[in-house]
Amino acid sequence: MAEVVIVPTAQEAGGLVADAIAGLIARRPDAVLGLATGSTPLPVYDALRVRLAGADLSRVRGFALDEYVGLDPSHPESYRSVISREVVGPLGLDPALVRVPDGALEGIEHAGEDYEAEIEAVGGIDLQILGIGTDGHIGFNEPGSSFASTTRVKTLTEQTRRDNARFFASIDDVPMHCITQGLGTILRARHLVLLAFGEGKADAVAAAVEGPVSASLPGSAIQLHPHVTVVVDEAAARGLAHADYYRYTYANKPAWQGL
Ligand code: F6R
């Protein structure tokens, strides 16, 4: 079962996860991080700026979860731009060691396979940061995605395009296709850290953590992984039937366990 940590604010969640990442990098200076985009991980990246100030990050690697297909990489909302603006620049990572799936139309047929090979070549992802969509997607694995899937092109649902329209001038500007790590790719990372904040995520969080394991709710794939940490605020925890048990467990957690 996933460890569920319920915290008062997104800022506190960011601090907790940043501490875990800083600890990982201290143990493994060549750690491989799986990086999510969107609004959810921003408090983690903010806290990391402080936690990692002065640390040697020259060997830290990163792999983004996904990218829009056909969006110019220099577009401010391409995930290449977002990762560079929110993570690589502020933390001072080596840009050559931080990879984003290639969403260019030319070569898109083998871009997924190439990305999988890159992840495998460095020995896999140590810690994967995840957000969750209101329709239960992780990465851009929309409902119905195979639990065995690897990096490939997917069609975004109308709901996801509507949710992401806030980053674009209008919904018509949100690309229809994306290239995303598969659920199988995500499940191979050694530690999954899923964050969610706000009322709008409560149903998806409850279904992912406590609902039936089903391709119809891709986030439920986390129940198949041996090391998962879910960090949510009170609003996103609203639908959790066992919230009291999660609070009790966390309050009595042995200090040596870490996140
Ligand atoms: C982003 C990603 C998505 C988002 C999800 C939630 O790389 O893979 O799964 O995590 O759409 O988005 P936000 O955080 O903007 O609510």
Side-chain angles (χ1 to χ4, degrees):
M1 176 187 127
E3 172 177 39
V4 181
V5 184
I6 303 168
V7 291
T9 63
Q11 201 188 2
E12 201 159 315
L16 266 182
V17 176
D19 282 343
I21 294 174
L24 167 68
I25 294 173
R27 290 191 305 278
R28 255 201 89 165
D30 59 349
V32 183
L33 305 177
L35 303 166
T37 45
S39 318
T40 306
L42 296 179
V44 177
Y45 301 143
D46 283 344
L48 275 176
R49 270 173 230 175
V50 181
R51 302 294 197 285
L52 295 177
D56 175 12
L57 304 177
S58 60
R59 294 162 61 203
V60 172
R61 290 180 182 275
F63 284 91
L65 271 172
D66 37 25
E67 176 59 292
Y68 293 111
V69 167
L71 191 65
D72 193 311
S74 66
H75 188 289
E77 295 306 330
S78 79
Y79 284 170
R80 181 172 297 278
S81 297
V82 172
I83 289 286
S84 142
R85 188 170 65 234
E86 307 288 356
V87 185
V88 176
L91 299 187
L93 301 184
D94 179 349
L97 299 185
V98 180
R99 316 295 297 161
V100 179
D102 188 353
L105 290 173
E106 202 187 314
I108 194 71
E109 331 68 70
H110 54 78
E113 225 174 286
D114 295 348
Y115 202 61
E116 291 289 323
E118 285 195 62
I119 295 174
E120 206 179 307
V122 301
I125 290 169
D126 290 309
L127 184 149
Q128 175 66 60
I129 301 168
L130 296 168
I132 188 164
T134 55
D135 65 359
H137 70 233
I138 52 174
F140 272 144
N141 295 282
E142 298 285 27
S145 295
S146 159
F147 282 5
S149 52
T150 53
T151 307
R152 74 232 182 275
V153 171
K154 288 288 289 181
T155 306
L156 296 172
T157 61
E158 275 304 295
Q159 187 174 335
T160 299
R161 292 183 69 234
R162 262 198 311 275
D163 287 347
N164 285 9
R166 69 191 193 279
F167 297 114
F168 293 84
S170 81
I171 186 167
D172 298 331
D173 295 327
V174 183
M176 187 71 73
H177 296 107
C178 62
I179 174 166
T180 179
Q181 285 188 32
L183 293 174
T185 320
I186 292 169
L187 289 174
R188 277 195 291 279
R190 287 181 273 280
H191 182 190
L192 303 182
V193 179
L194 187 146
L195 297 113
F197 308 121
E199 184 89 22
K201 298 291 175 74
D203 291 345
V205 167
V209 174
E210 296 177 341
V213 174
S214 160
S216 297
L217 200 296
S220 67
I222 64 171
Q223 295 180 43
L224 300 174
H225 193 283
H227 188 189
V228 183
T229 311
V230 174
V231 187
V232 290
D233 65 6
E234 295 285 348
R238 185 188 43 77
L240 291 170
H242 303 294
D244 288 346
Y245 177 64
Y246 305 139
R247 286 194 183 89
Y248 172 80
T249 306
Y250 189 64
N252 293 291
K253 185 181 165 94
W256 56 264
Q257 274 186 342
L259 206 59

